Amino acid sequence: MATAEIAVPDPAALSSSQQRGTQCVWCTIALTNGTARNLGPRPIDAHGTSVLWFPRCCHHCWDERGLAEWR
Ligand SMILES: [Zn+2]
């Protein structure tokens, strides 16, 4: 199955730390540059303006969701 991007939670439902990429978007564990996996930039609406969001997750959630193919 060719999917354009990894499905992530609605950013509006996440904490500011998750939106900033300092916590995993799924399990909220604190992330560092060494432990975070980038999920790819995606456009979101911020007060009527389209901006790019860079969600990140931890290795555990990455593996659990079988995202290894995304690298
Ligand atoms: Zn996680």
Side-chain angles (χ1 to χ4, degrees):
M1 189 176 76
T3 313
E5 60 187 28
I6 299 162
V8 295
D10 182 352
L14 300 177
S15 72
S16 59
S17 294
Q18 288 171 298
Q19 291 170 0
R20 284 199 309 273
T22 59
Q23 288 182 348
C24 173
V25 294
W26 286 299
C27 72
T28 73
I29 195 171
L31 298 172
T32 67
N33 285 337
T35 60
R37 301 299 303 251
N38 291 310
L39 294 166
R42 57 208 67 214
I44 59 169
D45 181 77
H47 310 293
T49 307
S50 184
V51 297
L52 275 183
W53 178 42
F54 297 88
R56 303 201 299 176
C57 74
C58 68
H59 284 287
H60 177 77
C61 290
W62 181 272
D63 291 341
E64 196 160 72
R65 284 166 171 76
L67 298 176
E69 63 189 281
W70 290 87
R71 301 191 62 78

PDB file of all heavy atoms in Angstrom, residues 15-55:
ATOM      1  N   SER A  15      -0.738  18.201  23.058  1.00  0.00           N
ATOM      2  CA  SER A  15      -0.189  19.240  23.929  1.00  0.00           C
ATOM      3  C   SER A  15       0.788  20.095  23.134  1.00  0.00           C
ATOM      4  O   SER A  15       1.258  19.709  22.067  1.00  0.00           O
ATOM      5  CB  SER A  15       0.542  18.598  25.107  1.00  0.00           C
ATOM      6  OG  SER A  15       1.752  18.013  24.660  1.00  0.00           O
ATOM      7  N   SER A  16       1.112  21.266  23.676  1.00  0.00           N
ATOM      8  CA  SER A  16       2.049  22.136  22.975  1.00  0.00           C
ATOM      9  C   SER A  16       3.414  21.464  22.839  1.00  0.00           C
ATOM     10  O   SER A  16       4.121  21.659  21.852  1.00  0.00           O
ATOM     11  CB  SER A  16       2.173  23.484  23.690  1.00  0.00           C
ATOM     12  OG  SER A  16       2.605  23.290  25.014  1.00  0.00           O
ATOM     13  N   SER A  17       3.791  20.645  23.825  1.00  0.00           N
ATOM     14  CA  SER A  17       5.070  19.940  23.743  1.00  0.00           C
ATOM     15  C   SER A  17       5.071  18.946  22.586  1.00  0.00           C
ATOM     16  O   SER A  17       6.068  18.785  21.881  1.00  0.00           O
ATOM     17  CB  SER A  17       5.358  19.205  25.043  1.00  0.00           C
ATOM     18  OG  SER A  17       5.552  20.114  26.099  1.00  0.00           O
ATOM     19  N   GLN A  18       3.946  18.276  22.398  1.00  0.00           N
ATOM     20  CA  GLN A  18       3.838  17.336  21.280  1.00  0.00           C
ATOM     21  C   GLN A  18       3.830  18.088  19.950  1.00  0.00           C
ATOM     22  O   GLN A  18       4.426  17.647  18.970  1.00  0.00           O
ATOM     23  CB  GLN A  18       2.566  16.495  21.415  1.00  0.00           C
ATOM     24  CG  GLN A  18       2.644  15.480  22.524  1.00  0.00           C
ATOM     25  CD  GLN A  18       1.298  14.815  22.766  1.00  0.00           C
ATOM     26  OE1 GLN A  18       0.333  15.471  23.116  1.00  0.00           O
ATOM     27  NE2 GLN A  18       1.237  13.520  22.565  1.00  0.00           N
ATOM     28  N   GLN A  19       3.186  19.239  19.941  1.00  0.00           N
ATOM     29  CA  GLN A  19       3.159  20.035  18.712  1.00  0.00           C
ATOM     30  C   GLN A  19       4.553  20.538  18.367  1.00  0.00           C
ATOM     31  O   GLN A  19       4.908  20.657  17.197  1.00  0.00           O
ATOM     32  CB  GLN A  19       2.191  21.215  18.868  1.00  0.00           C
ATOM     33  CG  GLN A  19       0.742  20.778  18.945  1.00  0.00           C
ATOM     34  CD  GLN A  19      -0.188  21.909  19.328  1.00  0.00           C
ATOM     35  OE1 GLN A  19       0.243  23.036  19.546  1.00  0.00           O
ATOM     36  NE2 GLN A  19      -1.465  21.617  19.413  1.00  0.00           N
ATOM     37  N   ARG A  20       5.360  20.837  19.405  1.00  0.00           N
ATOM     38  CA  ARG A  20       6.717  21.336  19.148  1.00  0.00           C
ATOM     39  C   ARG A  20       7.683  20.208  18.820  1.00  0.00           C
ATOM     40  O   ARG A  20       8.803  20.462  18.415  1.00  0.00           O
ATOM     41  CB  ARG A  20       7.248  22.072  20.389  1.00  0.00           C
ATOM     42  CG  ARG A  20       6.667  23.443  20.600  1.00  0.00           C
ATOM     43  CD  ARG A  20       7.555  24.255  21.543  1.00  0.00           C
ATOM     44  NE  ARG A  20       7.859  23.543  22.774  1.00  0.00           N
ATOM     45  CZ  ARG A  20       7.102  23.566  23.853  1.00  0.00           C
ATOM     46  NH1 ARG A  20       5.981  24.253  23.851  1.00  0.00           N
ATOM     47  NH2 ARG A  20       7.448  22.906  24.929  1.00  0.00           N
ATOM     48  N   GLY A  21       7.264  18.962  19.041  1.00  0.00           N
ATOM     49  CA  GLY A  21       8.136  17.845  18.743  1.00  0.00           C
ATOM     50  C   GLY A  21       9.062  17.476  19.886  1.00  0.00           C
ATOM     51  O   GLY A  21      10.023  16.742  19.696  1.00  0.00           O
ATOM     52  N   THR A  22       8.790  17.974  21.089  1.00  0.00           N
ATOM     53  CA  THR A  22       9.616  17.606  22.233  1.00  0.00           C
ATOM     54  C   THR A  22       9.030  16.424  22.999  1.00  0.00           C
ATOM     55  O   THR A  22       9.645  15.927  23.922  1.00  0.00           O
ATOM     56  CB  THR A  22       9.812  18.795  23.198  1.00  0.00           C
ATOM     57  OG1 THR A  22       8.536  19.243  23.648  1.00  0.00           O
ATOM     58  CG2 THR A  22      10.538  19.935  22.499  1.00  0.00           C
ATOM     59  N   GLN A  23       7.816  16.000  22.601  1.00  0.00           N
ATOM     60  CA  GLN A  23       7.217  14.789  23.156  1.00  0.00           C
ATOM     61  C   GLN A  23       6.649  13.954  22.010  1.00  0.00           C
ATOM     62  O   GLN A  23       6.202  14.504  20.998  1.00  0.00           O
ATOM     63  CB  GLN A  23       6.071  15.118  24.119  1.00  0.00           C
ATOM     64  CG  GLN A  23       6.518  15.699  25.453  1.00  0.00           C
ATOM     65  CD  GLN A  23       5.342  15.953  26.379  1.00  0.00           C
ATOM     66  OE1 GLN A  23       4.199  15.905  25.976  1.00  0.00           O
ATOM     67  NE2 GLN A  23       5.648  16.235  27.629  1.00  0.00           N
ATOM     68  N   CYS A  24       6.661  12.638  22.200  1.00  0.00           N
ATOM     69  CA  CYS A  24       6.096  11.716  21.213  1.00  0.00           C
ATOM     70  C   CYS A  24       4.615  12.049  20.974  1.00  0.00           C
ATOM     71  O   CYS A  24       3.875  12.277  21.936  1.00  0.00           O
ATOM     72  CB  CYS A  24       6.244  10.280  21.723  1.00  0.00           C
ATOM     73  SG  CYS A  24       5.425   9.047  20.709  1.00  0.00           S
ATOM     74  N   VAL A  25       4.190  12.071  19.706  1.00  0.00           N
ATOM     75  CA  VAL A  25       2.801  12.416  19.413  1.00  0.00           C
ATOM     76  C   VAL A  25       1.824  11.349  19.896  1.00  0.00           C
ATOM     77  O   VAL A  25       0.637  11.614  20.014  1.00  0.00           O
ATOM     78  CB  VAL A  25       2.562  12.656  17.896  1.00  0.00           C
ATOM     79  CG1 VAL A  25       3.327  13.884  17.413  1.00  0.00           C
ATOM     80  CG2 VAL A  25       2.914  11.436  17.076  1.00  0.00           C
ATOM     81  N   TRP A  26       2.335  10.138  20.177  1.00  0.00           N
ATOM     82  CA  TRP A  26       1.424   9.065  20.622  1.00  0.00           C
ATOM     83  C   TRP A  26       1.493   8.808  22.119  1.00  0.00           C
ATOM     84  O   TRP A  26       0.479   8.767  22.783  1.00  0.00           O
ATOM     85  CB  TRP A  26       1.709   7.774  19.849  1.00  0.00           C
ATOM     86  CG  TRP A  26       1.209   7.837  18.435  1.00  0.00           C
ATOM     87  CD1 TRP A  26      -0.090   8.001  18.029  1.00  0.00           C
ATOM     88  CD2 TRP A  26       1.988   7.777  17.235  1.00  0.00           C
ATOM     89  NE1 TRP A  26      -0.136   8.025  16.648  1.00  0.00           N
ATOM     90  CE2 TRP A  26       1.098   7.883  16.147  1.00  0.00           C
ATOM     91  CE3 TRP A  26       3.356   7.618  16.993  1.00  0.00           C
ATOM     92  CZ2 TRP A  26       1.537   7.845  14.815  1.00  0.00           C
ATOM     93  CZ3 TRP A  26       3.789   7.571  15.672  1.00  0.00           C
ATOM     94  CH2 TRP A  26       2.884   7.692  14.593  1.00  0.00           C
ATOM     95  N   CYS A  27       2.700   8.618  22.679  1.00  0.00           N
ATOM     96  CA  CYS A  27       2.775   8.217  24.089  1.00  0.00           C
ATOM     97  C   CYS A  27       3.267   9.358  24.994  1.00  0.00           C
ATOM     98  O   CYS A  27       3.350   9.167  26.205  1.00  0.00           O
ATOM     99  CB  CYS A  27       3.662   6.987  24.242  1.00  0.00           C
ATOM    100  SG  CYS A  27       5.413   7.292  24.015  1.00  0.00           S
ATOM    101  N   THR A  28       3.587  10.501  24.443  1.00  0.00           N
ATOM    102  CA  THR A  28       3.996  11.716  25.169  1.00  0.00           C
ATOM    103  C   THR A  28       5.325  11.589  25.903  1.00  0.00           C
ATOM    104  O   THR A  28       5.665  12.442  26.715  1.00  0.00           O
ATOM    105  CB  THR A  28       2.916  12.212  26.171  1.00  0.00           C
ATOM    106  OG1 THR A  28       2.883  11.330  27.301  1.00  0.00           O
ATOM    107  CG2 THR A  28       1.548  12.316  25.525  1.00  0.00           C
ATOM    108  N   ILE A  29       6.104  10.538  25.624  1.00  0.00           N
ATOM    109  CA  ILE A  29       7.418  10.443  26.256  1.00  0.00           C
ATOM    110  C   ILE A  29       8.284  11.599  25.754  1.00  0.00           C
ATOM    111  O   ILE A  29       8.139  12.035  24.609  1.00  0.00           O
ATOM    112  CB  ILE A  29       8.072   9.074  25.945  1.00  0.00           C
ATOM    113  CG1 ILE A  29       9.254   8.820  26.874  1.00  0.00           C
ATOM    114  CG2 ILE A  29       8.531   9.000  24.489  1.00  0.00           C
ATOM    115  CD1 ILE A  29       9.807   7.403  26.783  1.00  0.00           C
ATOM    116  N   ALA A  30       9.149  12.108  26.635  1.00  0.00           N
ATOM    117  CA  ALA A  30      10.026  13.213  26.242  1.00  0.00           C
ATOM    118  C   ALA A  30      11.031  12.745  25.193  1.00  0.00           C
ATOM    119  O   ALA A  30      11.603  11.660  25.306  1.00  0.00           O
ATOM    120  CB  ALA A  30      10.758  13.750  27.457  1.00  0.00           C
ATOM    121  N   LEU A  31      11.237  13.568  24.180  1.00  0.00           N
ATOM    122  CA  LEU A  31      12.129  13.210  23.081  1.00  0.00           C
ATOM    123  C   LEU A  31      13.380  14.089  23.092  1.00  0.00           C
ATOM    124  O   LEU A  31      13.326  15.250  23.484  1.00  0.00           O
ATOM    125  CB  LEU A  31      11.418  13.413  21.739  1.00  0.00           C
ATOM    126  CG  LEU A  31      10.167  12.571  21.489  1.00  0.00           C
ATOM    127  CD1 LEU A  31       9.481  13.040  20.208  1.00  0.00           C
ATOM    128  CD2 LEU A  31      10.522  11.109  21.384  1.00  0.00           C
ATOM    129  N   THR A  32      14.488  13.488  22.671  1.00  0.00           N
ATOM    130  CA  THR A  32      15.685  14.267  22.391  1.00  0.00           C
ATOM    131  C   THR A  32      16.022  14.038  20.925  1.00  0.00           C
ATOM    132  O   THR A  32      15.442  13.160  20.283  1.00  0.00           O
ATOM    133  CB  THR A  32      16.875  13.800  23.251  1.00  0.00           C
ATOM    134  OG1 THR A  32      17.242  12.483  22.836  1.00  0.00           O
ATOM    135  CG2 THR A  32      16.524  13.799  24.723  1.00  0.00           C
ATOM    136  N   ASN A  33      16.964  14.786  20.395  1.00  0.00           N
ATOM    137  CA  ASN A  33      17.321  14.597  18.992  1.00  0.00           C
ATOM    138  C   ASN A  33      17.826  13.184  18.752  1.00  0.00           C
ATOM    139  O   ASN A  33      17.728  12.659  17.650  1.00  0.00           O
ATOM    140  CB  ASN A  33      18.359  15.620  18.558  1.00  0.00           C
ATOM    141  CG  ASN A  33      17.732  16.996  18.366  1.00  0.00           C
ATOM    142  OD1 ASN A  33      16.535  17.109  18.137  1.00  0.00           O
ATOM    143  ND2 ASN A  33      18.542  18.035  18.489  1.00  0.00           N
ATOM    144  N   GLY A  34      18.377  12.547  19.801  1.00  0.00           N
ATOM    145  CA  GLY A  34      18.893  11.195  19.631  1.00  0.00           C
ATOM    146  C   GLY A  34      17.817  10.129  19.654  1.00  0.00           C
ATOM    147  O   GLY A  34      18.019   9.040  19.124  1.00  0.00           O
ATOM    148  N   THR A  35      16.666  10.415  20.288  1.00  0.00           N
ATOM    149  CA  THR A  35      15.641   9.388  20.422  1.00  0.00           C
ATOM    150  C   THR A  35      14.432   9.623  19.531  1.00  0.00           C
ATOM    151  O   THR A  35      13.580   8.757  19.420  1.00  0.00           O
ATOM    152  CB  THR A  35      15.135   9.294  21.876  1.00  0.00           C
ATOM    153  OG1 THR A  35      14.573  10.552  22.248  1.00  0.00           O
ATOM    154  CG2 THR A  35      16.263   8.920  22.823  1.00  0.00           C
ATOM    155  N   ALA A  36      14.327  10.791  18.916  1.00  0.00           N
ATOM    156  CA  ALA A  36      13.137  11.108  18.137  1.00  0.00           C
ATOM    157  C   ALA A  36      13.221  10.564  16.718  1.00  0.00           C
ATOM    158  O   ALA A  36      14.298  10.469  16.136  1.00  0.00           O
ATOM    159  CB  ALA A  36      12.942  12.620  18.087  1.00  0.00           C
ATOM    160  N   ARG A  37      12.063  10.182  16.201  1.00  0.00           N
ATOM    161  CA  ARG A  37      11.954   9.820  14.789  1.00  0.00           C
ATOM    162  C   ARG A  37      11.067  10.866  14.137  1.00  0.00           C
ATOM    163  O   ARG A  37       9.973  11.150  14.631  1.00  0.00           O
ATOM    164  CB  ARG A  37      11.307   8.442  14.626  1.00  0.00           C
ATOM    165  CG  ARG A  37      12.053   7.314  15.313  1.00  0.00           C
ATOM    166  CD  ARG A  37      13.455   7.103  14.803  1.00  0.00           C
ATOM    167  NE  ARG A  37      13.531   6.841  13.374  1.00  0.00           N
ATOM    168  CZ  ARG A  37      13.844   5.647  12.843  1.00  0.00           C
ATOM    169  NH1 ARG A  37      14.073   4.619  13.617  1.00  0.00           N
ATOM    170  NH2 ARG A  37      13.910   5.504  11.543  1.00  0.00           N
ATOM    171  N   ASN A  38      11.524  11.437  13.035  1.00  0.00           N
ATOM    172  CA  ASN A  38      10.713  12.412  12.321  1.00  0.00           C
ATOM    173  C   ASN A  38       9.628  11.709  11.525  1.00  0.00           C
ATOM    174  O   ASN A  38       9.881  10.714  10.859  1.00  0.00           O
ATOM    175  CB  ASN A  38      11.594  13.246  11.393  1.00  0.00           C
ATOM    176  CG  ASN A  38      12.524  14.161  12.150  1.00  0.00           C
ATOM    177  OD1 ASN A  38      12.089  14.889  13.028  1.00  0.00           O
ATOM    178  ND2 ASN A  38      13.793  14.108  11.833  1.00  0.00           N
ATOM    179  N   LEU A  39       8.423  12.225  11.615  1.00  0.00           N
ATOM    180  CA  LEU A  39       7.295  11.621  10.916  1.00  0.00           C
ATOM    181  C   LEU A  39       6.987  12.333   9.605  1.00  0.00           C
ATOM    182  O   LEU A  39       6.031  11.994   8.917  1.00  0.00           O
ATOM    183  CB  LEU A  39       6.063  11.634  11.828  1.00  0.00           C
ATOM    184  CG  LEU A  39       6.227  10.737  13.059  1.00  0.00           C
ATOM    185  CD1 LEU A  39       5.158  11.033  14.084  1.00  0.00           C
ATOM    186  CD2 LEU A  39       6.189   9.269  12.658  1.00  0.00           C
ATOM    187  N   GLY A  40       7.789  13.317   9.272  1.00  0.00           N
ATOM    188  CA  GLY A  40       7.584  14.023   8.011  1.00  0.00           C
ATOM    189  C   GLY A  40       6.776  15.292   8.207  1.00  0.00           C
ATOM    190  O   GLY A  40       5.823  15.302   8.979  1.00  0.00           O
ATOM    191  N   PRO A  41       7.157  16.357   7.518  1.00  0.00           N
ATOM    192  CA  PRO A  41       6.423  17.616   7.645  1.00  0.00           C
ATOM    193  C   PRO A  41       5.050  17.509   6.992  1.00  0.00           C
ATOM    194  O   PRO A  41       4.869  16.742   6.047  1.00  0.00           O
ATOM    195  CB  PRO A  41       7.308  18.610   6.883  1.00  0.00           C
ATOM    196  CG  PRO A  41       8.031  17.767   5.875  1.00  0.00           C
ATOM    197  CD  PRO A  41       8.264  16.440   6.550  1.00  0.00           C
ATOM    198  N   ARG A  42       4.113  18.203   7.557  1.00  0.00           N
ATOM    199  CA  ARG A  42       2.783  18.240   6.947  1.00  0.00           C
ATOM    200  C   ARG A  42       2.137  19.584   7.227  1.00  0.00           C
ATOM    201  O   ARG A  42       2.363  20.189   8.267  1.00  0.00           O
ATOM    202  CB  ARG A  42       1.899  17.109   7.461  1.00  0.00           C
ATOM    203  CG  ARG A  42       1.736  17.087   8.959  1.00  0.00           C
ATOM    204  CD  ARG A  42       1.468  15.685   9.435  1.00  0.00           C
ATOM    205  NE  ARG A  42       2.616  14.816   9.243  1.00  0.00           N
ATOM    206  CZ  ARG A  42       2.528  13.521   8.936  1.00  0.00           C
ATOM    207  NH1 ARG A  42       1.378  12.955   8.791  1.00  0.00           N
ATOM    208  NH2 ARG A  42       3.614  12.792   8.780  1.00  0.00           N
ATOM    209  N   PRO A  43       1.355  20.074   6.264  1.00  0.00           N
ATOM    210  CA  PRO A  43       0.725  21.376   6.443  1.00  0.00           C
ATOM    211  C   PRO A  43      -0.445  21.303   7.413  1.00  0.00           C
ATOM    212  O   PRO A  43      -1.234  20.360   7.391  1.00  0.00           O
ATOM    213  CB  PRO A  43       0.252  21.728   5.027  1.00  0.00           C
ATOM    214  CG  PRO A  43       0.068  20.402   4.344  1.00  0.00           C
ATOM    215  CD  PRO A  43       1.075  19.474   4.959  1.00  0.00           C
ATOM    216  N   ILE A  44      -0.529  22.255   8.300  1.00  0.00           N
ATOM    217  CA  ILE A  44      -1.681  22.371   9.185  1.00  0.00           C
ATOM    218  C   ILE A  44      -2.159  23.817   9.163  1.00  0.00           C
ATOM    219  O   ILE A  44      -1.417  24.722   8.779  1.00  0.00           O
ATOM    220  CB  ILE A  44      -1.349  21.964  10.641  1.00  0.00           C
ATOM    221  CG1 ILE A  44      -0.220  22.837  11.197  1.00  0.00           C
ATOM    222  CG2 ILE A  44      -0.997  20.490  10.715  1.00  0.00           C
ATOM    223  CD1 ILE A  44      -0.021  22.679  12.688  1.00  0.00           C
ATOM    224  N   ASP A  45      -3.382  23.989   9.582  1.00  0.00           N
ATOM    225  CA  ASP A  45      -3.951  25.326   9.613  1.00  0.00           C
ATOM    226  C   ASP A  45      -3.681  25.966  10.962  1.00  0.00           C
ATOM    227  O   ASP A  45      -4.006  25.414  12.002  1.00  0.00           O
ATOM    228  CB  ASP A  45      -5.461  25.264   9.364  1.00  0.00           C
ATOM    229  CG  ASP A  45      -6.081  26.638   9.371  1.00  0.00           C
ATOM    230  OD1 ASP A  45      -5.932  27.341   8.362  1.00  0.00           O
ATOM    231  OD2 ASP A  45      -6.691  27.013  10.389  1.00  0.00           O
ATOM    232  N   ALA A  46      -3.039  27.114  10.970  1.00  0.00           N
ATOM    233  CA  ALA A  46      -2.772  27.841  12.201  1.00  0.00           C
ATOM    234  C   ALA A  46      -3.374  29.236  12.083  1.00  0.00           C
ATOM    235  O   ALA A  46      -2.823  30.096  11.411  1.00  0.00           O
ATOM    236  CB  ALA A  46      -1.268  27.924  12.461  1.00  0.00           C
ATOM    237  N   HIS A  47      -4.504  29.402  12.700  1.00  0.00           N
ATOM    238  CA  HIS A  47      -5.179  30.705  12.683  1.00  0.00           C
ATOM    239  C   HIS A  47      -5.401  31.215  11.266  1.00  0.00           C
ATOM    240  O   HIS A  47      -5.140  32.372  10.961  1.00  0.00           O
ATOM    241  CB  HIS A  47      -4.391  31.732  13.509  1.00  0.00           C
ATOM    242  CG  HIS A  47      -4.038  31.227  14.875  1.00  0.00           C
ATOM    243  ND1 HIS A  47      -4.980  30.986  15.852  1.00  0.00           N
ATOM    244  CD2 HIS A  47      -2.855  30.885  15.412  1.00  0.00           C
ATOM    245  CE1 HIS A  47      -4.377  30.524  16.924  1.00  0.00           C
ATOM    246  NE2 HIS A  47      -3.090  30.447  16.685  1.00  0.00           N
ATOM    247  N   GLY A  48      -5.830  30.320  10.378  1.00  0.00           N
ATOM    248  CA  GLY A  48      -6.147  30.725   9.020  1.00  0.00           C
ATOM    249  C   GLY A  48      -4.965  30.717   8.072  1.00  0.00           C
ATOM    250  O   GLY A  48      -5.113  30.990   6.891  1.00  0.00           O
ATOM    251  N   THR A  49      -3.773  30.391   8.597  1.00  0.00           N
ATOM    252  CA  THR A  49      -2.595  30.334   7.749  1.00  0.00           C
ATOM    253  C   THR A  49      -2.073  28.901   7.711  1.00  0.00           C
ATOM    254  O   THR A  49      -2.013  28.228   8.735  1.00  0.00           O
ATOM    255  CB  THR A  49      -1.477  31.240   8.313  1.00  0.00           C
ATOM    256  OG1 THR A  49      -2.012  32.536   8.502  1.00  0.00           O
ATOM    257  CG2 THR A  49      -0.300  31.308   7.353  1.00  0.00           C
ATOM    258  N   SER A  50      -1.692  28.434   6.532  1.00  0.00           N
ATOM    259  CA  SER A  50      -1.151  27.084   6.416  1.00  0.00           C
ATOM    260  C   SER A  50       0.327  27.113   6.777  1.00  0.00           C
ATOM    261  O   SER A  50       1.118  27.837   6.179  1.00  0.00           O
ATOM    262  CB  SER A  50      -1.330  26.570   4.985  1.00  0.00           C
ATOM    263  OG  SER A  50      -0.882  25.232   4.888  1.00  0.00           O
ATOM    264  N   VAL A  51       0.690  26.325   7.785  1.00  0.00           N
ATOM    265  CA  VAL A  51       2.094  26.242   8.203  1.00  0.00           C
ATOM    266  C   VAL A  51       2.513  24.778   8.197  1.00  0.00           C
ATOM    267  O   VAL A  51       1.674  23.883   8.190  1.00  0.00           O
ATOM    268  CB  VAL A  51       2.305  26.831   9.618  1.00  0.00           C
ATOM    269  CG1 VAL A  51       1.963  28.311   9.638  1.00  0.00           C
ATOM    270  CG2 VAL A  51       1.498  26.071  10.640  1.00  0.00           C
ATOM    271  N   LEU A  52       3.805  24.538   8.206  1.00  0.00           N
ATOM    272  CA  LEU A  52       4.293  23.161   8.237  1.00  0.00           C
ATOM    273  C   LEU A  52       4.504  22.720   9.675  1.00  0.00           C
ATOM    274  O   LEU A  52       5.101  23.425  10.480  1.00  0.00           O
ATOM    275  CB  LEU A  52       5.621  23.040   7.471  1.00  0.00           C
ATOM    276  CG  LEU A  52       5.530  22.822   5.965  1.00  0.00           C
ATOM    277  CD1 LEU A  52       6.925  22.649   5.401  1.00  0.00           C
ATOM    278  CD2 LEU A  52       4.667  21.623   5.612  1.00  0.00           C
ATOM    279  N   TRP A  53       4.005  21.514   9.963  1.00  0.00           N
ATOM    280  CA  TRP A  53       4.168  20.907  11.283  1.00  0.00           C
ATOM    281  C   TRP A  53       5.124  19.736  11.130  1.00  0.00           C
ATOM    282  O   TRP A  53       5.055  18.994  10.149  1.00  0.00           O
ATOM    283  CB  TRP A  53       2.799  20.431  11.781  1.00  0.00           C
ATOM    284  CG  TRP A  53       2.831  19.744  13.114  1.00  0.00           C
ATOM    285  CD1 TRP A  53       3.538  20.113  14.218  1.00  0.00           C
ATOM    286  CD2 TRP A  53       2.094  18.570  13.485  1.00  0.00           C
ATOM    287  NE1 TRP A  53       3.289  19.245  15.255  1.00  0.00           N
ATOM    288  CE2 TRP A  53       2.415  18.287  14.828  1.00  0.00           C
ATOM    289  CE3 TRP A  53       1.194  17.741  12.801  1.00  0.00           C
ATOM    290  CZ2 TRP A  53       1.857  17.198  15.502  1.00  0.00           C
ATOM    291  CZ3 TRP A  53       0.646  16.670  13.482  1.00  0.00           C
ATOM    292  CH2 TRP A  53       0.976  16.405  14.825  1.00  0.00           C
ATOM    293  N   PHE A  54       6.041  19.596  12.092  1.00  0.00           N
ATOM    294  CA  PHE A  54       7.022  18.512  12.038  1.00  0.00           C
ATOM    295  C   PHE A  54       6.832  17.571  13.232  1.00  0.00           C
ATOM    296  O   PHE A  54       7.570  17.648  14.216  1.00  0.00           O
ATOM    297  CB  PHE A  54       8.453  19.074  12.053  1.00  0.00           C
ATOM    298  CG  PHE A  54       8.767  19.931  10.849  1.00  0.00           C
ATOM    299  CD1 PHE A  54       8.491  21.285  10.867  1.00  0.00           C
ATOM    300  CD2 PHE A  54       9.329  19.370   9.712  1.00  0.00           C
ATOM    301  CE1 PHE A  54       8.775  22.077   9.754  1.00  0.00           C
ATOM    302  CE2 PHE A  54       9.622  20.159   8.600  1.00  0.00           C
ATOM    303  CZ  PHE A  54       9.342  21.513   8.619  1.00  0.00           C
ATOM    304  N   PRO A  55       5.824  16.697  13.179  1.00  0.00           N
ATOM    305  CA  PRO A  55       5.578  15.782  14.307  1.00  0.00           C
ATOM    306  C   PRO A  55       6.713  14.781  14.461  1.00  0.00           C
ATOM    307  O   PRO A  55       7.344  14.386  13.479  1.00  0.00           O
ATOM    308  CB  PRO A  55       4.277  15.086  13.899  1.00  0.00           C
ATOM    309  CG  PRO A  55       4.278  15.120  12.402  1.00  0.00           C
ATOM    310  CD  PRO A  55       4.936  16.432  12.050  1.00  0.00           C
TER     311      PRO A  55
END
